[in-house]
């Protein structure tokens, strides 16, 4: 190959890869800004899971710098759980709040907020993408879920962590918000139970006293107002049987790459 040809070829390849990158970026853009309904139906789910296998379950979500922080981190969904139990916890500064860890574990545990704050932690600046079409960049600090699981010792048949929340989703006060992730995502480097947002205690509107951050997944997986982590083998015994409040309404369970 002559030098000129080689240069041309290199330019061609660069353009081809550029186009590919732009196309996949456009795909992501669409995912986070268009109306959510057709995108989160089950059709996309096998593709997402296949992508995740390709990329590797331990690949990291992009992290940002303090200069990238959104001026404010908006609230979505529940902004204040409407129960007497939550109001009482809040009024006492979450002194009585306990994170319960149970189900298929060798050592059922419970943590006070101070105990949670004493666990190995991680701080990360990440982008949150809601399927309703908005994103925000925030700085999160929280206990590594892997550290909690190491203490609780999941039994060999445990496959998922179900995150039970404090906020009722039905008019009649029933049906608490819940979500679930598998053990790969639970043990991921960036998966934390966050108690600080932007260097201050997590505001009520964003899930006080603790909320899940599972950074490679869409917004609805990031359960707020966490009360209990239950290790299970399947979703069969859970309300809609599909692993989460939104999943029970038809959203996909694996909402990420
Ligand atoms: N318990 C609980 N967790 C929740 C929700 C909710 O309504 N209740 N909404 C979800 C959705 S759709 C999004 S986009 C994020 C919003 O988090 P934010 O309020 O901190 O912006 O929380 C997720 N976790
Ligand atoms: Mo969302």
């Amino acid at each position: 190959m002559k030098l000129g040809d080689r240069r041309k070829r290199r330019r061609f390849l660069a353009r081809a890869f550029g186009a590919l990158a732009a196309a996949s970026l456009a795909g992501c853009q669409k995912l986070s800004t268009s109306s959510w309904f057709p995108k989160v139906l089950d059709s996309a789910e096998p593709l997402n899971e296949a992508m995740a296998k390709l990329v590797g379950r331990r690949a990291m979500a992009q992290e940002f710098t303090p200069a990238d922080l959104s001026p404010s981190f908006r609230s979505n969904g529940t902004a204040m759980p409407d129960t007497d139990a939550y109001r009482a916890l809040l009024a006492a500064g979450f002194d009585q709040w306990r994170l319960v860890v149970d189900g298929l574990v060798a050592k059922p545990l419970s943590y006070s907020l101070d105990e949670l704050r004493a666990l190995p932690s991680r701080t990360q600046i990440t982008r949150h993408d809601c399927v309703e079409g908005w994103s925000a960049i925030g700085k999160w600090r929280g206990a590594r879920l892997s550290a909690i699981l190491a203490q609780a010792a999941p039994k060999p048949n445990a496959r998922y962590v179900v995150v039970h929340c404090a906020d009722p989703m039905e008019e009649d006060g029933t049906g608490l918000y819940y979500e679930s992730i598998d053990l790969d995502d639970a043990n991921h480097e960036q998966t934390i139970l966050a108690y600080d947002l932007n260097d201050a205690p997590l505001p009520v509107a964003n899930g006080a006293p603790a909320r899940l951050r599972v950074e490679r997944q869409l917004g609805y997986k990031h359960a707020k107002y966490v009360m209990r982590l239950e290790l299970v083998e399947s979703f069969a015994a859970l309300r809609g049987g599909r692993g989460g409040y939104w999943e029970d309404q038809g959203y996909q369970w694996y909402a990420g790459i």
Side-chain angles (χ1 to χ4, degrees):
M1 215 187 281
K2 275 185 291 175
L3 189 67
D5 284 351
R6 214 180 283 154
R7 215 174 275 149
K8 248 184 247 156
R9 186 175 151 72
R10 212 180 298 138
R11 228 178 291 140
F12 168 78
L13 283 178
R15 226 179 296 132
F17 280 119
L20 243 183
S24 49
L25 261 183
C28 292
Q29 201 61 24
K30 241 196 221 150
L31 184 73
S32 61
T33 57
S34 73
S35 82
W36 55 271
F37 199 68
K39 300 285 181 323
V40 292
L41 284 180
D42 285 336
S43 59
E45 187 163 1
L47 190 66
N48 288 349
E49 276 194 275
M51 277 282 275
K53 284 205 187 94
L54 210 66
V55 175
R57 293 298 296 272
R58 282 187 229 162
M60 302 284 275
Q62 185 178 0
E63 295 194 10
F64 298 81
T65 71
D68 303 314
L69 287 172
S70 301
S72 75
F73 200 99
R74 61 169 280 185
S75 168
N76 200 43
T78 304
M80 166 70 199
D82 188 16
T83 69
D84 289 341
Y86 185 84
R87 275 186 286 273
L89 288 173
L90 173 61
F94 296 109
D95 259 12
Q96 303 301 311
W97 176 85
R98 293 292 179 275
L99 171 71
V100 171
V101 186
D102 64 4
L104 298 174
V105 291
K107 271 189 292 170
L109 296 166
S110 101
Y111 298 91
S112 69
L113 194 49
D114 284 346
E115 288 167 342
L116 196 68
R117 284 182 175 276
L119 287 174
S121 70
R122 190 172 200 280
T123 303
Q124 56 206 28
I125 300 179
T126 54
R127 194 187 64 220
H128 178 104
D129 296 312
C130 172
V131 291
E132 288 170 20
W134 59 273
S135 299
I137 295 178
K139 179 179 179 183
W140 305 96
R141 178 184 176 87
R144 291 172 185 266
L145 192 48
S146 59
I148 295 174
L149 292 181
Q151 293 189 346
K155 294 183 175 171
N157 56 337
R159 292 187 58 197
Y160 305 102
V161 179
V162 182
V163 184
H164 296 280
C165 308
D167 49 328
M169 300 302 286
E170 319 293 339
E171 301 267 312
D172 63 2
T174 63
L176 301 173
Y177 197 99
Y178 75 107
E179 257 303 337
S180 60
I181 57 177
D182 63 20
L183 287 185
D184 280 342
D185 271 348
N187 284 310
H188 187 279
E189 172 84 9
Q190 292 167 312
T191 300
I192 57 175
L193 277 184
Y195 40 69
D196 286 346
L197 170 58
N198 296 336
D199 297 314
L202 188 62
V204 168
N206 302 104
R211 67 99 52 86
L212 181 67
R213 294 302 307 170
V214 49
E215 299 295 353
R216 290 174 59 205
Q217 303 252 2
L218 290 173
Y220 60 88
K221 300 294 290 188
H222 300 236
K224 306 194 284 187
Y225 317 110
V226 176
M227 302 298 291
R228 175 182 170 218
L229 304 177
E230 181 192 11
L231 278 283
V232 300
E233 184 170 9
S234 84
F235 305 143
L238 299 172
R239 208 173 323 128
R242 304 190 59 175
Y245 173 77
W246 286 113
E247 285 83 339
D248 289 342
Q249 333 283 318
Y251 280 44
Q252 64 192 36
W253 176 79
Y254 196 83
I257 61 150

